[in-house]
Amino acid sequence: MTQQPQPPIPYEQTSDYRWTEAAFRLLESGALTASVTASDNVSSAVVEGACPRCVHRFTDRRPLTAVSNGLGESRAGVPGSGGRDLVEPAGSREPVVLDVTCSCGVAHPTGGPGTADASATGGCGVSFRIELAADRGPAGGQQ
Ligand SMILES: [Zn+2]
Ligand SMILES: [Zn+2]
């Protein structure tokens, strides 16, 4: 059996809430991971896995601003495998909210002449929100 490769879905700039919900389900299933790593007093958020819209694999890495305690104890030098340790920001218990835009690197075709700049990012255009709870709360708790 030969499998037909599917063409990429059209680029569409959307931040519909359902993608945030889809991302949440991917996080639960493990297809998408979000973590905070810290080194040299700089925390970085890394979101990695399948895009909820185009299902391409992407990696979003960004520095987290506001590491509150300036010259606190250094967390560097944590022994681990491959530098992928999950490190909680010291003294921070606030959830980290990440607005992620797909950056799968695949050229998604634009749907029409009105949608420009698709090649600028190399993603399907979807934006979604991920909440990284610093402290594990009860799942499904809504306010
Ligand atoms: Zn995508
Ligand atoms: Zn894609």
Side-chain angles (χ1 to χ4, degrees):
M1 286 292 201
T2 53
Q3 212 173 0
Q4 292 277 89
Q6 291 200 338
I9 58 173
Y11 176 90
E12 185 190 345
Q13 212 169 58
T14 175
S15 55
D16 195 292
Y17 184 68
R18 66 193 168 115
W19 300 120
T20 292
E21 290 183 310
F24 182 74
R25 281 193 291 273
L26 288 174
L27 280 169
E28 280 194 322
S29 71
L32 187 65
T33 59
S35 58
V36 174
T37 60
S39 65
D40 297 335
N41 275 337
V42 177
S43 295
S44 303
V46 181
V47 180
E48 192 169 28
C51 168
R53 181 166 181 260
C54 69
V55 206
H56 293 134
R57 189 176 175 80
F58 74 98
T59 303
D60 182 289
R61 185 189 184 92
R62 73 186 66 187
L64 290 176
T65 50
V67 176
S68 45
N69 56 338
L71 294 175
E73 36 184 333
S74 171
R75 289 285 190 119
V78 181
S81 49
R84 282 199 160 228
D85 309 282
L86 188 75
V87 181
E88 281 184 293
S92 168
R93 293 229 160 238
E94 295 172 29
V96 179
V97 177
L98 303 170
D99 284 312
V100 182
T101 300
C102 174
S103 55
C104 64
V106 176
H108 288 272
T110 50
T115 49
D117 275 352
S119 58
T121 50
C124 68
V126 69
S127 298
F128 51 93
R129 176 162 288 189
I130 284 178
E131 265 189 52
L132 258 177
D135 204 355
R136 255 183 184 278
Q142 292 184 355
Q143 289 181 332

